[in-house]
Structure formats: C-alpha cells, structure tokens
Amino acid sequence: RLTRFTVPTRRALISPLRERLLSSIRDFNVAGTGRENHFCMALEEALNNAFYHGNLEISSELKEDGTSAFIDLAREREQLEPWRSRNVYVTELVGLFGLWISIEDDGNGFNVEAAFERCNDPELMLSSGRGLMLMRAYLSFCEYSEGGRRITMVRERNSPLPILED
C-alpha cells in the first residue's frame, strides 16, 4: 500500500497522523510481537522533529529549562507566518517486506553530521540528539537527506533491530 499525506503544521495533527501510520505496522504485522512500541517511539521522534524543530524552528534547549516555553512558542508560531503555511509531507509504503516512511518538512534543515557528533558526548546531548539515537536504535534503516529536512525510515518485517538485539 502506498499512501502520501500533506499535513499542515498543527500540533493537534501529530497524534492522529502517528496513529494512522502505526496502523500499518499492525495491518501488515511488520514489527512482530512486542516491538510495535519501539517503532512508535522512533516515529514519534521523527514527527515531532518535523513539526517542532523543522517547521516551527523551535530549539530543543527550550525543553530543558523546565518551563512551558517550548509549548508556548509552538502554540504561538503555528498561528503566525511563515510557520503556519508550512507542511509536513509523509510518504508511506507498506507491504509484506515491511514499512518504509519518508517524512519531510518545509523548515531550514539541520547539520546532520554535527547532530550525530553531539550524540557522542553525553554533556552535549542534554538538550538534543536523544531522538536521533533512539531512531537509529529502533529502525532497520534510517537516513537523512535534503539538508536534514527529510528522514527515510525503514522497518523490515520482523527483522532484528540493529543495536538492541543479538
């Protein structure tokens, strides 16, 4: 099954989009017993990155101060230009082989190499990078392109996870 979605940058749409995409792993038994939660976490990270960091251009550092600054800024920006006119584009291909999802945003992208370098230093990973590592751990394949604006995620049907399983 091949499906394409164009989703406006509205935080309220993240959860229904995630649930629709997760239904594919159930419909095609992609994740196997007990592994659906792993893919759910990776998908949640990718969608949040596209909506919050990509299209709304909100830094992860705002989450670390313990206030509502991150959500407050998101609420404000989804009503203002240029952020409100941006979309998230999702292409899903699912079948007996597994699940392939591409998520692209209209933001400015990010330096993928520098982000993964920060993941090597626990001190630098406090405000960002955990989601990148989580996605790598829970997917069969994960690649960024378009200057960090697009992630391609693959979960092969019932394959072992690259980092977490023997």
Side-chain angles (χ1 to χ4, degrees), residues 116-161:
F116 278 110
E117 289 242 345
R118 278 195 313 273
C119 293
N120 293 328
D121 184 343
E123 293 287 324
L124 296 176
M125 219 169 76
L126 288 175
S127 66
S128 65
R130 294 178 300 251
L132 299 176
M133 297 307 291
L134 188 122
M135 286 185 282
R136 270 193 173 168
Y138 291 152
L139 298 168
S140 304
F141 174 81
C142 177
E143 179 181 76
Y144 287 89
S145 58
E146 302 300 318
R149 293 186 316 106
R150 179 187 301 150
I151 182 172
T152 300
M153 307 165 54
V154 176
R155 181 67 178 118
E156 295 172 341
R157 187 169 190 251
N158 295 321
S159 70
L161 295 172

Side-chain angles (χ1 to χ4, degrees), residues 58-149:
I58 302 174
S59 170
S60 294
E61 292 174 5
L62 286 179
K63 287 191 254 183
E64 301 298 324
D65 72 2
T67 69
S68 62
F70 186 89
I71 294 300
D72 293 344
L73 185 56
R75 186 178 301 118
E76 179 183 331
R77 285 192 176 173
E78 73 179 0
Q79 303 301 318
L80 301 172
E81 293 298 339
W83 304 284
R84 70 175 281 138
S85 295
R86 294 178 177 173
N87 293 306
V88 172
Y89 309 93
V90 179
T91 302
E92 168 200 59
L93 180 62
V94 62
L96 297 178
F97 69 91
L99 177 64
W100 176 94
I101 294 176
S102 169
I103 300 171
E104 184 173 350
D105 62 64
D106 284 331
N108 297 318
F110 69 102
N111 184 330
V112 177
E113 289 178 26
F116 278 110
E117 289 242 345
R118 278 195 313 273
C119 293
N120 293 328
D121 184 343
E123 293 287 324
L124 296 176
M125 219 169 76
L126 288 175
S127 66
S128 65
R130 294 178 300 251
L132 299 176
M133 297 307 291
L134 188 122
M135 286 185 282
R136 270 193 173 168
Y138 291 152
L139 298 168
S140 304
F141 174 81
C142 177
E143 179 181 76
Y144 287 89
S145 58
E146 302 300 318
R149 293 186 316 106

